[in-house]
Amino acid sequence: MNWLALWSAVAFLFGSLITLTQSDRVALLECEAKSSCLAHVDEAVLEVIREHMYNTSDACDNFWDYACGSWTEGPYYDHVDTLGAMTNHYADKLKVIVEILKTAAEDPEDNTLMVNKIWRYYESCSASGNYYLEVAEYLKELPMHQVWGEQFQWHSMFNKTSFAEHNIDWLTLMATLRPYGLNGIFFKESMGFASNDSWKNVLEIKIPTARKRFRSKYKILEILEEYHFEAYASSEELWLLAEDLYAFDKDMVELYRGYEETGKNVKSLTMEELLNADTLLPWQKYFDLLIGKHLDPRLVSLEIAGKLDYFTNLHEQLQQKDGQIVFWYIIVNFCQHLLDIKPLITDRNCLLHTNVMFPLGLNYIYDRFLYKNRQKDEKVLQDMLSGLKGQFAVYVEENKFQLSNEEIGYLKAKVSAIQLQIGNLPSHIPHLNEYYSPIELSPTNFYANHMKMLKFRFLQQHLSVWNPKRLYLLPEDYYVNDDISTPRNAPYFIHPRNLLMIPMVFLQLPFYHHSQNPIFHHSLVGWIMAHELSHGFDSHGLAFDANGNYSPLGYQISLKSSFVHTLECLTKSSATLSLNERMADVNGLQLVWDLYTQNFPQNSTDLSLDLSSEEIFFLNLAQFFCGSLPPTTAHDRDDVRVKETLRNLKEFLHIFGCEKAARNFSKTSCDIWRN
């Protein structure tokens, strides 16, 4: 297949996906492929806004319902909101292009070997079951025999005498399972950047947070049964084990709780210095097993958050515990980890999962074959970011928190340093066949393939540990993130880089198109950019300076009583899962609203006869959250986010006639950095 034929096939197959005609946000996913729709994209978006509105709701009482009350599920909505639908649409398009590249006789960039591995992984996933994986198969792929010999048998792990004969120590088991994603048991190990040099890679060791890992004994029993351990032990033995593990978990939480307040104390040292600190743990053995080779302790840089005596106490406490219980505690946590990250077996889910395992390869394919508007998008988004940075600098100059000149200079330097990047791709793309050359995948054994890819990602993250020449991250290096369950398709902020990252897939309708009226740019993507920029100035982000290094001065600002009281103000009307996320929502809206209204005076657009430009602004923002209100994680529930964000902007209250709330604004609402 020649190059022209390849593109013709792409166009034909994408055209076959364009079958939707309903007026909803899903239909807008297809608009960019239709010139007739794209020529009138603002009208198309407005039509969807009207379709989703539920005008009998009170905009002042529940604006989420007012904006989204007529939202219904449609095609692509096996997920719960528009972002999920967009992710599904992205998966379908990506599958088409990967399949075309797989069958093409020639690849202009000669990445055939990489594409074949991606396709093999995807096919092994899609052929591995009927929706649900048989997770017990993962146990066959664990390297238990390599570490403890061919005599290792799961049934012997339930027998105290047989268990003792295997001489299994917990640190070896942790090092064996960590490359497959297990983390946060007894301590958390990860790659990060040095607090005093954000371009230097370091191994980070942190004490776990004090929270139960199992909500009940029944949850532990459920995990054991999910992996068919009843084949090796009686029901009574499994129940007794679940009781012991639940009690053990509570003991560990108490140990962690004793060190909760020490986590902000970060100590930089080499592994040699850690070995000399006499924490009683064989760190050299742990790290050698972790990386799979002997490491020179003088060359391994570490940062440890918390007191070193924690590890001494951990060792002593585990020495007093039944080794068999410690073993099963680690194993059951690992089993839960695999349950958390395993894909559901559908073509779409397997493609999204493959994207997680091959982020560099599939981001490159998306950028080369599917992402069309980088230059125009860069212009629109960079202009918006420049405006947001300038507006935030105005807030800083207004000096709401009565900062010193040094503190004001610190904040202005930081906001000036914030950069934008579209897509997680390095400036220099490595030869992708070579990058993925260490991987050999089975055409049929998905469980083995999944474990291999988890380990490959781990070793790529830890490259600087086993290759001291890569101690410093270069701008052209590829950053391997920690996402091993779902692709990260929404924008995010990287503090050590002062970098606002916008995934390429996010820059499509219904969220964005470069040709849209600025009111749509600012009210959705602009608000999200302002939200992420605000994270650089929340109680966590303030501690990172303009170079991404830890700064006592920034940390000092975050502790000012005036700043702390302003954040606490955000909980006047309701509690929140994350104060920093609510702060980013509220400050982000205040920031982007001020920017928009100053650059595009109100009522200057004649988009609609029945809706004012200001009403369109807030409806477009709110409809980003239309959906079936999924369970919450780091953020508040979507309807709560809309309500709490908008109630803190006085201009919104006036526009929608919420005069009672407007009169009480100073008593019930909060400005953040805005004065």
Side-chain angles (χ1 to χ4, degrees):
M1 180 180 291
N2 62 33
W3 184 233
L4 182 60
L6 175 62
W7 273 109
S8 298
V10 171
F12 173 78
L13 282 168
F14 285 170
S16 69
L17 293 174
I18 312 301
T19 58
L20 302 177
T21 58
Q22 77 277 11
S23 294
D24 67 10
R25 293 178 80 81
V26 175
L28 289 175
L29 289 166
E30 316 290 4
C31 184
E32 190 170 349
K34 298 177 178 179
S35 58
S36 59
C37 178
L38 202 54
H40 304 281
V41 62
D42 291 340
E43 292 89 335
V45 173
L46 280 169
E47 186 177 355
V48 169
I49 285 176
R50 294 187 189 96
E51 287 286 332
H52 285 345
M53 288 175 65
Y54 189 60
N55 296 77
T56 59
S57 293
D58 184 348
C60 302
D61 180 57
N62 188 341
F63 194 76
W64 179 86
D65 193 53
Y66 179 81
C68 299
S70 296
W71 177 90
T72 57
E73 295 186 359
Y76 289 112
Y77 276 102
D78 55 350
H79 279 65
V80 294
D81 54 23
T82 310
L83 185 61
M86 182 204 70
T87 300
N88 288 341
H89 183 65
Y90 157 76
D92 292 349
K93 291 199 296 183
L94 202 55
K95 179 177 181 288
V96 169
I97 190 63
V98 173
E99 190 166 15
I100 290 172
L101 290 172
K102 166 69 172 59
T103 56
E106 58 185 68
D107 179 351
E109 295 295 320
D110 190 30
N111 290 310
T112 307
L113 294 178
M114 176 198 72
V115 172
N116 287 341
K117 288 179 180 180
I118 288 173
W119 190 254
R120 175 170 286 193
Y121 187 88
Y122 162 76
E123 284 198 314
S124 73
C125 175
S126 59
S128 60
N130 296 317
Y131 200 67
Y132 293 109
L133 282 172
E134 183 56 66
V135 289
E137 293 296 312
Y138 278 114
L139 299 178
K140 299 176 183 178
E141 307 305 329
L142 292 178
M144 309 301 271
H145 294 107
Q146 298 172 28
V147 180
W148 288 289
E150 290 301 321
Q151 71 275 16
F152 178 90
Q153 299 292 334
W154 283 107
H155 66 80
S156 62
M157 296 298 100
F158 288 93
N159 181 282
K160 286 193 178 295
T161 302
S162 300
F163 176 85
E165 292 173 354
H166 283 80
N167 196 31
I168 295 175
D169 71 274
W170 66 269
L171 202 61
T172 297
L173 182 60
M174 294 271 290
T176 301
L177 299 181
R178 173 69 187 99
Y180 305 107
L182 180 67
N183 209 0
I185 311 300
F186 307 144
F187 55 85
K188 182 180 180 181
E189 179 278 333
S190 60
M191 288 303 302
F193 304 107
S195 58
N196 62 352
D197 184 349
S198 63
W199 291 99
K200 181 181 178 182
N201 293 293
V202 294
L203 270 172
E204 296 179 335
I205 306 293
K206 298 179 180 178
I207 300 169
T209 54
R211 64 172 182 82
K212 292 191 294 184
R213 301 189 70 88
F214 306 109
R215 64 177 182 267
S216 68
K217 305 168 192 176
Y218 300 99
K219 179 59 181 176
I220 298 172
L221 190 62
E222 180 184 306
I223 296 169
L224 292 167
E225 292 174 346
E226 185 86 31
Y227 283 81
H228 301 322
F229 283 116
E230 69 272 13
Y232 310 117
S234 66
S235 297
E236 183 180 2
E237 287 174 314
L238 292 180
W239 175 247
L240 291 173
L241 177 60
E243 287 188 320
D244 288 339
L245 294 180
Y246 188 67
F248 179 85
D249 189 50
K250 290 198 292 185
D251 290 344
M252 296 313 303
V253 169
E254 287 305 308
L255 175 62
Y256 305 151
R257 185 169 288 121
Y259 289 85
E260 273 186 321
E261 299 303 316
T262 71
K264 294 179 181 177
N265 301 321
V266 178
K267 184 177 181 63
S268 300
L269 68 172
T270 64
M271 187 166 75
E272 183 177 50
E273 291 171 325
L274 178 61
L275 295 173
N276 293 333
D278 193 25
T279 62
L280 303 181
L281 295 181
W283 290 109
Q284 180 79 54
K285 176 184 178 181
Y286 172 77
F287 287 117
D288 287 355
L289 285 170
L290 198 68
I291 304 302
K293 62 183 294 184
H294 178 70
L295 302 174
D296 186 336
R298 298 169 299 174
L299 301 179
V300 178
S301 299
L302 300 163
E303 283 195 348
I304 297 181
K307 291 186 177 179
L308 288 180
D309 69 359
Y310 163 78
F311 299 101
T312 305
N313 290 338
L314 172 67
H315 172 79
E316 292 174 346
Q317 182 157 326
L318 294 182
Q319 285 290 98
Q320 298 169 13
K321 299 292 185 181
D322 184 337
Q324 190 178 26
I325 299 303
V326 178
F327 169 86
W328 279 109
Y329 183 74
I330 297 170
I331 291 296
V332 172
N333 272 287
F334 182 68
C335 289
Q336 179 60 58
H337 157 68
L338 291 176
L339 287 169
D340 291 338
I341 66 170
K342 68 177 179 61
L344 297 172
I345 307 306
T346 67
D347 287 353
R348 185 179 288 158
N349 282 308
C350 281
L351 198 287
L352 292 172
H353 171 76
T354 303
N355 193 167
V356 172
M357 292 294 107
F358 289 84
L360 176 59
L362 283 169
N363 276 346
Y364 166 80
I365 289 172
Y366 188 87
D367 184 48
R368 181 166 180 78
F369 297 105
L370 296 177
Y371 184 40
K372 303 174 183 177
N373 302 312
R374 178 177 287 276
Q375 189 173 0
K376 293 177 180 178
D377 292 347
E378 286 272 6
K379 175 68 169 64
V380 172
L381 299 177
Q382 291 289 3
D383 285 350
M384 268 203 296
L385 179 61
S386 177
L388 291 169
K389 289 163 62 174
Q391 185 60 48
F392 191 83
V394 171
Y395 289 176
V396 173
E397 286 283 1
E398 290 173 348
N399 202 7
K400 174 179 179 177
F401 300 121
Q402 299 181 336
L403 305 176
S404 68
N405 288 335
E406 183 185 16
E407 290 168 332
I408 289 174
Y410 172 90
L411 294 174
K412 292 175 72 174
K414 172 164 179 150
V415 74
S416 177
I418 291 174
Q419 300 294 316
L420 172 75
Q421 181 174 322
I422 297 176
N424 184 17
L425 283 172
S427 58
H428 173 71
I429 305 292
H431 196 289
L432 295 175
N433 285 339
E434 182 179 339
Y435 181 83
Y436 288 109
S437 62
I439 305 165
E440 294 296 333
L441 299 175
S442 164
T444 56
N445 188 344
F446 169 73
Y447 303 93
N449 290 344
H450 191 186
M451 300 291 273
K452 287 178 181 178
M453 289 308 302
L454 287 169
K455 187 169 185 176
F456 174 78
R457 280 178 55 93
F458 174 85
L459 291 175
Q460 290 298 317
Q461 280 184 318
H462 289 68
L463 185 62
S464 64
V465 178
W466 54 271
N467 184 358
K469 294 180 180 179
R470 303 296 295 273
L471 179 61
Y472 285 88
L473 183 73
L474 301 175
E476 63 266 23
D477 286 343
Y478 177 61
Y479 173 66
V480 184
N481 61 36
D482 293 325
D483 303 318
I484 57 174
S485 58
T486 56
R488 190 182 292 194
N489 287 337
Y492 54 99
F493 193 83
I494 302 174
H495 291 286
R497 299 275 78 78
N498 279 317
L499 185 65
L500 200 170
M501 182 77 76
I502 302 184
M504 291 175 281
V505 64
F506 194 82
L507 297 176
Q508 61 177 308
L509 293 166
F511 301 143
Y512 166 88
H513 192 270
H514 63 83
S515 68
Q516 286 181 290
N517 186 288
I519 197 169
F520 297 112
H521 291 160
H522 286 74
S523 58
L524 205 161
V525 171
W527 171 72
I528 291 173
M529 291 171 64
H531 169 106
E532 297 303 332
L533 183 150
S534 297
H535 276 309
F537 303 91
D538 64 21
S539 61
H540 173 68
L542 279 168
F544 295 86
D545 68 11
N547 296 311
N549 299 328
Y550 174 77
S551 167
L553 181 61
Y555 182 60
Q556 171 185 302
I557 296 171
S558 74
L559 297 180
K560 282 185 173 290
S561 59
S562 54
F563 180 74
V564 172
H565 291 157
T566 296
L567 293 186
E568 291 173 346
C569 169
L570 292 170
T571 61
K572 279 183 179 178
S573 60
S574 68
T576 178
L577 289 175
S578 170
L579 199 52
N580 281 336
E581 289 296 340
R582 182 169 289 181
M583 174 271 183
D585 281 350
V586 172
N587 190 71
L589 177 58
Q590 293 169 351
L591 188 60
V592 76
W593 175 259
D594 286 345
L595 174 66
Y596 175 74
T597 53
Q598 289 174 28
N599 286 277
F600 302 92
Q602 297 172 24
N603 299 314
S604 65
T605 56
D606 187 22
L607 287 172
S608 170
L609 295 176
D610 57 330
L611 294 169
S612 70
S613 59
E614 299 97 325
E615 289 173 324
I616 292 169
F617 185 101
F618 294 112
L619 286 164
N620 192 49
L621 184 154
Q623 287 192 0
F624 174 71
F625 294 100
C626 289
S628 56
L629 299 180
T632 54
T633 51
H635 299 84
D636 294 325
R637 205 173 66 181
D638 287 347
D639 57 338
V640 175
R641 290 184 71 183
V642 170
K643 180 178 181 179
E644 291 298 325
T645 301
L646 295 178
R647 67 184 295 278
N648 286 288
L649 189 73
K650 193 170 186 177
E651 294 88 336
F652 163 80
L653 301 176
H654 287 309
I655 288 164
F656 284 91
C658 309
E659 296 307 325
K660 180 179 178 181
R663 286 193 299 271
N664 294 322
F665 183 82
S666 60
K667 299 177 182 177
T668 61
S669 302
C670 325
D671 288 325
I672 312 302
W673 286 92
R674 187 194 209 197
N675 199 351

